Amino acid sequence: MKKVLASIGIGNATVDTVLPSETVRPGETIDAEVHITGGNAEQEVGAIQFEIETRYRTEDGYQEADIGRFSLADGLTIEPGQEERRPVSIDIPYSTPITVGQIDVWIETELDIDLAVDPEDKDYLDVQPTPRLQAVFDAMDDLGFSLHSAECEADPYGRYTSQQRFVQEFEFRATSGPFRGTLDEIELVAQPGPNELTLFLEVDRRGGLLSELTDMDEQTVQTTIRSDDKSTVREELERLIEKHA
């Protein structure tokens, strides 16, 4: 009877992934520990599955997406009340969006148990920018641009990337500095990597009604950031924006 109840989630085993810190950066590897506690009946765990997930906006609403997925394949038998701990190293992919605004990122842990409701655990992450992306943000601030919004959006045609179905877009508005009154906004899409940051900028010039209606006031340019020094990045961005403003 206990096995029957466990199969529908009553008295089932539980799982909890314990992180050293919820604050992470793309490209990091974190060492965590998985705690498994047996329920009211013996159960066979085939694997421990891990997924790093987020949500992105589509034309029809919001959809969840896997950013990274892996598993610990060595199965185990968990006895009633037994406590089992397993170390695990979790790679945070470079494509992980930073958690600014309403953007959520979490690790979902799941026990693969045949003929039963799979126990799950969800741990939310505080994802901070990589050093190069932080330098971009600091440089934009120095140039008088304020972050207005950040959103994960669908990229169905692979305009920016072919590796996933969405991108994270940052919208900046010129509130002071040399570009105030010249530009409406700048939208950034960043693709961090181990040695460089690929940056796409959509520069929206302040134009008349005709140019606004035809999108003639917008230009999209691409650049590569290799430094994490704010002054160096500021000079690069200032030259690029001046050229297309």
Side-chain angles (χ1 to χ4, degrees):
M1 185 62 181
K2 290 180 180 179
K3 286 192 174 184
V4 173
L5 292 174
S7 70
I8 58 174
I10 300 174
N12 206 359
T14 60
V15 62
D16 178 29
T17 296
V18 180
L19 305 173
S21 171
E22 63 183 24
T23 301
V24 300
R25 283 182 171 79
E28 287 184 343
T29 298
I30 56 176
D31 294 324
E33 195 170 62
V34 183
H35 295 184
I36 305 168
T37 303
N40 294 332
E42 177 187 288
Q43 290 182 293
E44 297 290 334
V45 179
I48 306 171
Q49 311 279 356
F50 300 88
E51 295 178 1
I52 301 177
E53 301 184 348
T54 190
R55 297 183 187 88
Y56 66 93
R57 184 164 59 87
T58 70
E59 293 182 354
D60 301 320
Y62 283 87
Q63 184 170 326
E64 292 187 359
D66 295 340
I67 306 164
R69 176 184 295 191
F70 68 99
S71 65
L72 295 179
D74 49 333
L76 69 138
T77 300
I78 190 78
E79 302 289 345
Q82 178 185 348
E83 294 188 359
E84 183 77 15
R85 298 187 178 190
R86 296 288 175 94
V88 60
S89 294
I90 300 174
D91 294 329
I92 308 299
Y94 278 104
S95 57
T96 305
I98 67 171
T99 50
V100 62
Q102 301 300 311
I103 296 171
D104 288 325
V105 175
W106 63 92
I107 296 177
E108 190 165 284
T109 309
E110 183 177 285
L111 300 182
D112 181 16
I113 300 177
D114 286 340
L115 305 176
V117 175
D118 291 336
E120 295 180 350
D121 175 49
K122 183 182 288 188
D123 296 277
Y124 285 89
L125 299 176
D126 172 24
V127 185
Q128 295 295 304
T130 64
R132 291 186 185 90
L133 184 55
Q134 185 61 58
V136 169
F137 290 159
D138 292 341
M140 292 293 287
D141 184 66
D142 273 5
L143 291 170
F145 291 95
S146 297
L147 180 62
H148 178 69
S149 66
E151 183 76 89
C152 288
E153 299 182 352
D155 185 25
Y157 304 111
R159 180 184 179 190
Y160 296 109
T161 177
S162 60
Q163 298 177 349
Q164 55 190 18
R165 302 187 302 274
F166 72 94
V167 294
Q168 184 173 23
E169 185 178 84
F170 305 97
E171 180 183 308
F172 290 84
R173 295 188 177 176
T175 56
S176 63
F179 299 104
R180 184 182 180 187
T182 304
L183 300 177
D184 279 340
E185 63 185 28
I186 290 183
E187 295 177 351
L188 300 182
V189 172
Q191 295 180 4
N195 302 311
E196 60 187 28
L197 169 71
T198 302
L199 197 64
F200 299 88
L201 296 84
E202 185 174 282
V203 181
D204 188 354
R205 299 188 301 272
R206 190 177 295 276
L209 178 61
L210 178 61
S211 61
E212 292 281 351
L213 291 175
T214 58
D215 289 338
M216 292 173 58
D217 59 331
E218 296 180 355
Q219 288 193 57
T220 301
V221 294
Q222 178 181 341
T223 189
T224 301
I225 303 295
R226 294 185 173 86
S227 174
D228 59 8
D229 176 70
K230 180 183 70 172
S231 298
T232 301
V233 175
R234 173 188 164 142
E235 291 176 4
E236 284 188 56
L237 292 180
E238 189 171 16
R239 283 196 301 268
L240 191 65
I241 295 170
E242 283 178 343
K243 182 178 179 181
H244 297 278

